[in-house]
Amino acid sequence: MQKYDDKANKSGMKIIFMFAQMLVLSVVYIIIYTSFLAVGYAIDQHGVNPVMYAPVVIAFVIFPILLYKYRQMFNAGKMLVATIWMMATASLTIVLLYVYILQMTG
């Protein structure tokens, strides 16, 4: 008969959260890469200023920093809050990049 061990559950949740972060990071980076391509297309076709890369580069730099902060939050015991913030930030980043590309090329 085994006794319940909360430490094993906590370490398992850390691993699951880390894999979820890697999955979310890969999805957001796919969108960021697509945004880089779209900005390049807009520069070629519509004569847009190359400064238009700035929001995409900012998203590229800031998002992993936010994921690191959410991992610290998760490890501090705020597991649900960290998961919600991670998913909300990823969704917001994707939507804002989509709207940015639409208004630039549309």
Side-chain angles (χ1 to χ4, degrees):
M1 188 97 175
Q2 290 182 346
K3 290 187 177 181
Y4 175 77
D5 186 16
D6 197 36
K7 289 183 182 181
N9 287 340
K10 196 173 262 192
S11 66
M13 287 305 297
K14 285 182 182 181
I15 291 171
I16 290 171
F17 185 73
M18 188 173 46
F19 281 129
Q21 278 194 322
M22 287 189 281
L23 180 66
V24 166
L25 182 66
S26 64
V27 168
V28 170
Y29 270 7
I30 288 170
I31 300 300
I32 288 173
Y33 175 71
T34 307
S35 298
F36 271 119
L37 294 179
V39 170
Y41 174 77
I43 289 171
D44 291 342
Q45 299 297 322
H46 302 291
V48 177
N49 194 350
V51 175
M52 299 300 273
Y53 278 116
V56 182
V57 171
I58 289 170
F60 180 77
V61 171
I62 295 292
F63 194 73
I65 295 170
L66 290 174
L67 286 182
Y68 176 72
K69 294 294 182 185
Y70 300 147
R71 186 179 305 151
Q72 287 178 336
M73 188 185 305
F74 187 88
N75 291 336
K78 300 177 183 176
M79 298 176 183
L80 183 61
V81 175
T83 304
I84 290 171
W85 271 102
M86 176 184 68
M87 297 307 293
T89 306
S91 300
L92 185 65
T93 303
I94 291 170
V95 167
L96 288 178
L97 283 174
Y98 177 72
V99 169
Y100 177 69
I101 296 302
L102 266 180
Q103 67 90 19
M104 182 176 24
T105 59

